[in-house]
Amino acid sequence: MSIEQTLRDRSENKCELCSATDNLTVYEVPPVAEPNSDKSVLLCAHCSAQINQTDSDYDTNHWRCLNDSMWSQVPAVQVMAYRMLKRLDSEGWAQDLLDMIYMDDDVKQWADSAAGDAPEAEDPTLDVNGAHLQAGDNVVLVKDLVVKGANFTAKRGTAVRGISLSSNPLHIEGRVNGTRIVIIAAYTKKM
């Protein structure tokens, strides 16, 4: 059976990201050493064009479909949903979905391996002890932080789970008391 036919059977002839049924094509999820159905997804023309474009002018409303497809049991679909959410992480809803997404460690490593949509920061993000922080790490606050605009103080010892890195290597982002805030990385300690 061909790769395309395998994908059509797996997806019930629908785009595996948005469920569209027209103009479906096979997309190999990089990096691919040898093409196979486990490393490919079936995409509609709109999803494929958006994934392949080099600028960041995405049809953000179209990508709200990732709210459903990110829960797929197919690793290649999970990887593509994660990569598109990373591209759209300036959107609040996309960042919320990134905070909720679950992938096995090997699938997460695959998703990060070629996600090079945004250049990595030259300087590493370091905690108070000089430990390298990465997206998804859990940290603890080492001092009380007054959160401006939210009218609360994030207390020393508060755990911040599943942090995100920002474009500034001195800052991280995370949720405290249900509010997404920017935190100076030097005020945290990696758990």
Side-chain angles (χ1 to χ4, degrees):
M1 187 180 298
S2 72
I3 292 174
E4 182 175 359
Q5 189 56 50
T6 302
L7 295 179
R8 285 183 179 278
D9 290 347
R10 177 176 84 192
S11 68
E12 299 174 351
N13 286 317
K14 294 179 187 171
C15 173
E16 292 186 276
L17 295 180
C18 75
S19 299
T21 56
D22 297 333
N23 301 321
L24 301 175
T25 58
V26 174
Y27 177 83
E28 294 175 358
V29 182
V32 178
E34 186 174 316
N36 66 55
S37 59
D38 292 336
K39 300 282 185 177
S40 302
V41 292
L42 194 64
L43 299 180
C44 68
H46 188 67
C47 286
S48 185
Q50 292 265 305
I51 287 169
N52 290 322
Q53 74 185 39
T54 55
D55 62 15
S56 60
D57 187 24
Y58 299 111
D59 179 359
T60 55
N61 282 331
H62 173 78
W63 290 112
R64 290 184 181 266
C65 63
L66 297 175
N67 186 42
D68 295 325
S69 56
M70 71 184 226
W71 300 110
S72 172
Q73 296 299 310
V74 178
V77 176
Q78 292 174 355
V79 167
M80 289 310 303
Y82 175 82
R83 289 180 182 174
M84 282 310 300
L85 288 169
K86 290 292 275 186
R87 289 184 189 184
L88 299 165
D89 72 351
S90 63
E91 300 286 325
W93 62 267
Q95 189 59 54
D96 290 342
L97 292 180
L98 275 172
D99 291 343
M100 289 189 298
I101 198 167
Y102 173 80
M103 293 183 284
D104 291 333
D105 291 339
D106 57 329
V107 176
K108 175 82 164 76
Q109 188 175 18
W110 176 20
D112 287 333
S113 68
D117 302 318
E120 290 292 320
E122 294 293 324
D123 298 322
T125 302
L126 305 175
D127 74 356
V128 68
N129 296 324
H132 289 264
L133 295 175
Q134 297 179 345
D137 283 346
N138 299 325
V139 298
V140 173
L141 300 179
V142 296
K143 68 180 276 182
D144 290 353
L145 303 175
V146 176
V147 181
K148 296 178 183 174
N151 296 328
F152 71 88
T153 300
K155 297 291 186 184
R156 177 181 173 192
T158 300
V160 182
R161 303 193 183 285
I163 65 165
S164 299
L165 301 181
S166 70
S167 57
N168 182 342
L170 300 178
H171 298 149
I172 61 170
E173 296 180 16
R175 286 198 184 278
V176 175
N177 293 344
T179 303
R180 185 157 194 79
I181 62 172
V182 175
I183 305 166
I184 296 174
Y187 296 161
T188 65
K189 180 174 75 171
K190 189 173 183 176
M191 293 172 62

